[in-house]
Amino acid sequence: MTREVETIIEELRVRLEELSYAYYVLADLRASDAEYDDLFAKLQRLEAEYPQYDREDSPSRKVGAPPLESFQPHRHVVPMLSLANAHNEEDIRDFDRRVLKSLGRDESTEGNARPVAYTLEPKIDGVGISLTYEAGSLVLASTRGDGTTGENITLNAKTINSVPLRLRGPKSEHPEFVEIRGEVFVEKSRFDAFNADRSEEEGRYANPRNFASGSLRQLDSSITAARPLDAFFYSVGELRGIKIKSQAELFQRLDTWGLKYAKSQLAFCPTIDDVVKAHQKLESIRDELPYEIDGTVIKVDDEELRQILGFRSRNPRWAVAVKFKSREASTRLLGVDVSIGRTGALTPVARLEPVPIGGVTISNASLHNYDEIERLDLRLGDRVLVERAGDVIPKVTKVLTAERTGAESKIEAPTQCPICGTPSQRDAEKVVLRCPNAVCPARIKGGLIHFVAKNALDIDGLGEKLVIQLVDEGLVTTYPDIFGLSLDQLLPLERMGATSAENLLAAIEKAKSTTLSRVLFGLGIRHVGASVAEILARHLKTLEGLLAANYEDLEAIHEVGEKAAAAVAEFAGDDDNRAMIEALIAAGIKTKVEEVSHGGAFAGLTFCVTGTLPTLSRQEAQNFIKKNGGKPVSAVSKKTDFLVAGEKAGSKLKKAEGYGLKILDEAALLKLAEG
Ligand code: IVH
């Protein structure tokens, strides 16, 4: 009987290892969460009952252990080295020249000049880790520390899904002893989701690297277990029992052992020209990767050549880290401007001494809200760090307090709207300051710009500048005013020719025949995005239907949430709004209710939606896709055109990345529909 129990326990372990390898390394879901949990619970039960069969490398150890008092130091068998840095193409070619020269393969050695093959990998922006496996079992994990001695973080490392407690593959291919080196990191989307969920008191991490390092250095490993950490591996330290002849072979071994690496982003480069190209390519797509990288690492592929090249102080002569252009710079905060949107939110914007960051001159940066200013302890005249990541708006990340002169001054949140002077109000539930004046010119402009935009009334030729001009000239204040514009009013406007004026009037006329969903979206009612508007339109049918809407009816609509129902009911109950809707009807707006796409920007394309999107429910996102002529699908395959991924996107996201599919967030999906 006992013999049998041992076999059952071992079978459970193997099955759990299989499933977790498939999921976390191959991005392949082979069992439901419930099945996995069942197996896991069974293993835990049996191990508790039969402690004689307990093993340190059992998958049950992946959930954390009682907290430690402190971390013990761990001395690496082979030190963890650092790399020399390079910054540009010239540095890369210098590195190659040094390598060739040391190997006697450069032009000076007649008849022997030949290139050296390199591998190029992303330089993962995380924290270094070293895993020691003995006969295939994980016995220890350590941070890098000073390179010679790190901290024993075994319990924490064990909780990371992509750290196997046993190597995969045949025992004969496991080294007796190996130190495997890699980087622990967090995917950008998971980092953002984590921070978004955290309250001020709990504290947020400044960037994914701090998150990874903070999470790995928790004395309570159950905290680490709850963090979405990931790991990639890229080199070995001490290695006994087998030989690895090249970086390429190392990656093959990692595959066999079930260890992850940046597979889709590796390049094998027969010459230095290939290296330069591969580096540039990786730099150009760095923002598209799900994880942060801060450069590339170039390594001589062949182990024998590495032995010949050796080391210079603490850096190998056979590798170099090529840093990307920095996207952070320091500059001075000259002032804080306030921008006012159609909802009246007063958003502080940092006015900066212009500074080039990664090839773009930055003179403004987002500050989100006034609480953010307080959190940063930002003062006028401060020197600040500004970060620009990809396409996102640059942000002020830090105040360089050490550089204060005493001349800095406090930043006051506006007590009134800078445009209309109405006293500002703080949102009940949020940290947002608002101008409550519905007829504030700034809000009116923002509202009109939204009303005529592409996915609302879509009036050709009526862009932001012209809207502002029309409001400033007193020609337009409400939405219906647009439909009353005449040639006589337009012609005197600056930069307005007869042809453009006529075209504009024709576009306005054309926009009168529209869909109810476009109008509902264009009205800018809170919580009513494009897809809620589409759903509402199907129920309300006409603008008169909107006037007749009440909270109970709206709330009863399956896909409409409480907040949206309340906002629409409030909107429809307001006298000014009712008059405005009636004026739209009187102006000759004709709305139809469309089941499917206007324009069909997504015609012929398939979309899979996964994870939690910021505003749309999955159903709403699918409706939006259908409305635009696309086809929502529930499973990801190589043939899927787009994956729409939100927070906590799991295996589908990994799968899509594996297939190299295009990945969209909600904003990108909405944008794509605009064509
Ligand atoms: S190789 C002897 N490859 O960058 C070779 N390092 O300054 C040792 N890193 O300490 C490192 N991605 O923490 C290597 N693909 C990669 C890497 C990488 C990130 C980190 C690592 C190392 C530091 C080098």
Side-chain angles (χ1 to χ4, degrees), residues 132-262:
T132 304
Y133 287 88
E134 282 181 21
S137 282
L138 178 69
V139 294
L140 188 132
S142 169
T143 59
R144 179 175 183 278
D146 62 7
T148 308
T149 306
E151 285 175 320
N152 181 329
I153 46 135
T154 311
L155 293 175
N156 292 348
K158 279 185 168 180
T159 70
I160 301 173
N161 293 321
S162 35
V163 170
L165 305 191
R166 293 198 275 196
L167 296 180
R168 293 178 58 82
K171 280 248 161 252
S172 58
E173 292 195 25
H174 294 166
E176 277 159 42
F177 182 101
V178 63
E179 292 177 310
I180 296 174
R181 269 79 198 259
E183 205 82 357
V184 170
F185 65 94
V186 59
E187 290 193 352
K188 293 183 266 194
S189 59
R190 292 176 189 269
F191 167 75
D192 291 340
F194 177 88
N195 263 357
D197 278 353
R198 293 273 276 197
S199 67
E200 287 292 319
E201 302 76 57
E202 289 169 315
R204 301 191 175 109
Y205 288 97
N207 55 48
R209 192 196 25 228
N210 289 3
F211 174 92
S213 123
S215 303
L216 205 53
R217 297 191 68 265
Q218 295 286 336
L219 289 168
D220 182 351
S221 55
S222 64
I223 297 180
T224 314
R227 302 278 173 90
L229 295 176
D230 211 331
F232 277 156
F233 300 91
Y234 45 67
S235 77
V236 293
E238 176 74 0
L239 175 64
R240 297 176 205 148
I242 61 162
K243 285 214 156 36
I244 296 180
K245 293 202 278 302
S246 66
Q247 187 70 13
E249 189 190 332
L250 170 69
F251 289 127
Q252 282 168 16
R253 295 274 187 181
L254 293 179
D255 264 336
T256 315
W257 295 336
L259 291 163
K260 285 218 293 194
Y261 53 95

Side-chain angles (χ1 to χ4, degrees), residues 547 569-583:
L547 292 175
E570 193 192 321
F571 182 92
D574 178 274
D575 284 342
D576 290 339
N577 290 335
R578 298 181 72 84
M580 184 266 290
I581 300 289
E582 275 164 10

Side-chain angles (χ1 to χ4, degrees), residues 525-526 551 554-555 560-572:
I525 304 168
R526 289 186 78 187
Y551 176 77
L554 292 163
E555 218 272 320
V560 175
E562 272 170 44
K563 283 187 189 163
V568 175
E570 193 192 321
F571 182 92

Side-chain angles (χ1 to χ4, degrees), residues 81-83 121-124 127-128 144 182-183 234-235 297 299 316 318-319 321:
L81 303 164
S82 56
L83 299 175
E121 313 163 32
K123 185 168 187 300
I124 315 294
V127 275
R144 179 175 183 278
E183 205 82 357
Y234 45 67
S235 77
V297 179
K299 298 172 186 169
W318 44 264

Side-chain angles (χ1 to χ4, degrees), residues 481-512:
D481 291 346
I482 294 173
F483 299 98
L485 283 170
S486 68
L487 209 55
D488 293 347
Q489 288 175 317
L490 292 178
L491 284 174
L493 292 178
E494 234 176 276
R495 292 186 304 275
M496 177 67 74
T499 322
S500 358
E502 276 161 20
N503 288 346
L504 178 61
L505 289 179
I508 291 173
E509 191 55 36
K510 192 168 149 223
K512 285 185 184 169

